[in-house]
Amino acid sequence: MPSFKGDEATNYDERIERLVPGYELLHQLTFAQCQVQLEADAKVLVVGAGTGKEVIALAQANPNMHFVAQDISEDMLAIAQQHFDQAGIANRVQIHCGDLNALEGQFDAALCLLVMHFVPDDGSKAKLLQAIRNQLVSGAWLWIADLMKPETPFERDAQFQVCQQLGLTDIGVERTLAAFEREFFALDRMRFAELLEHNGFGVAHCYFKALSFTGFVVRCQ
Ligand SMILES: C[S@@+](CC[C@H](N)C(=O)[O-])C[C@H]1O[C@@H](n2cnc3c(N)ncnc32)[C@H](O)[C@@H]1O
């Protein structure tokens, strides 16, 4: 996994848009679904909150919502904290660095965008999903998006074409290709659905797909 520390945290916001085709749209579609589905005073858990994009959009639109922004990178959360202060929403956001199991639960919804693909499928993805499930009330929704295994032999190549159009350099392409091999643990749709269903969630519905980046919404049981 990238370290998400130091420069990798500082440069994150401008780097991510070149690496994830449709990054902005993924966030827009997730936000829109939360807007129509969540109560005005919902308590929302954002797993792998990074620099805080999901939290800021929802908090600015919903003055009575409360959030926990969780991550394992202190540096990403330090940037998120600055963004929350600037946006005037810090009083409604608890920042939590580390284990999800330390939280008190009873969340009405969770978001986990572009996080679980960094977690190996050796029991660790299942553990993460269980930890998220344990923090949610029954019937809560989870929005989760990951890099998936390519569905055609040319999907990855097409993805890098788009990344280059978005400004990724040749060296950037080479590094990202190597990172995909070493640092990402992409699943196919069947395994993704199976993991969700075995860890307390229902049927996953796809709501976003930009080449291999895929978003699902699923309700916990
Ligand atoms: C690609 S960023 C996504 C950030 C944000 N969700 C977004 O959409 O911009 C991935 C984030 O997940 C965090 N992360 C990686 N593994 C994690 C884990 N097991 N639990 C929580 N956060 C994790 C990283 O530190 C990083 O901040």
Side-chain angles (χ1 to χ4, degrees):
M1 177 173 85
S3 74
F4 295 108
K5 287 184 182 154
D7 283 355
E8 283 191 21
T10 317
N11 301 335
Y12 175 79
D13 287 337
E14 57 103 14
R15 196 178 72 242
I16 194 67
E17 296 198 358
R18 295 195 296 271
L19 294 175
V20 178
Y23 176 74
E24 204 54 52
L25 183 62
L26 166 65
H27 276 262
Q28 248 174 9
L29 300 185
T30 309
F31 170 82
Q33 297 205 21
C34 291
Q35 280 300 94
V36 296
Q37 187 57 31
L38 301 186
E39 299 291 335
D41 61 351
K43 193 177 152 199
V44 180
L45 171 63
V46 181
V47 178
T51 56
K53 189 174 173 73
E54 302 88 311
V55 172
I56 291 166
L58 279 170
Q60 284 183 327
N62 300 283
N64 295 318
M65 274 190 192
H66 286 79
F67 301 85
V68 170
Q70 181 269 356
D71 206 287
I72 54 171
S73 163
E74 278 180 21
D75 290 1
M76 293 291 272
L77 287 175
I79 296 169
Q81 178 72 68
Q82 287 170 16
H83 291 165
F84 299 154
D85 290 339
Q86 282 158 11
I89 57 160
N91 60 334
R92 291 186 285 126
V93 188
Q94 177 193 337
I95 287 195
H96 176 72
C97 190
D99 192 357
L100 278 172
N101 295 307
L103 295 169
E104 282 176 12
Q106 297 293 306
F107 290 92
D108 301 304
L111 277 62
C112 183
L113 303 185
L114 308 173
V115 179
M116 198 174 74
H117 50 212
F118 294 121
V119 177
D121 190 16
D122 59 359
S124 308
K125 282 188 200 284
K127 244 189 194 164
L128 175 62
L129 289 171
Q130 267 167 30
I132 296 173
R133 169 65 192 92
N134 290 340
Q135 294 298 326
L136 295 172
V137 298
S138 290
W141 291 96
L142 165 67
W143 283 269
I144 181 164
D146 267 353
L147 178 82
M148 306 289 287
K149 280 196 176 150
E151 293 193 8
T152 61
F154 46 84
E155 190 174 271
R156 275 282 190 278
D157 289 343
Q159 190 164 309
F160 282 107
Q161 276 279 323
V162 180
C163 290
Q164 286 193 295
Q165 284 164 18
L166 294 171
L168 193 68
T169 60
D170 289 346
I171 292 175
V173 170
E174 231 172 82
R175 285 195 188 135
T176 311
L177 261 171
F180 276 6
E181 295 300 315
R182 283 196 315 266
E183 299 168 355
F184 285 70
F185 302 91
L187 302 176
D188 61 31
R189 280 186 194 232
M190 273 184 66
R191 177 66 185 144
F192 205 95
E194 183 181 61
L195 269 172
L196 284 166
E197 286 183 34
H198 286 177
N199 290 287
F201 293 91
V203 175
H205 302 280
C206 179
Y207 72 94
F208 172 84
K209 176 120 178 89
L211 297 161
S212 298
F213 287 100
T214 312
F216 296 97
V217 59
V218 60
R219 199 163 206 185
C220 76
Q221 292 169 327

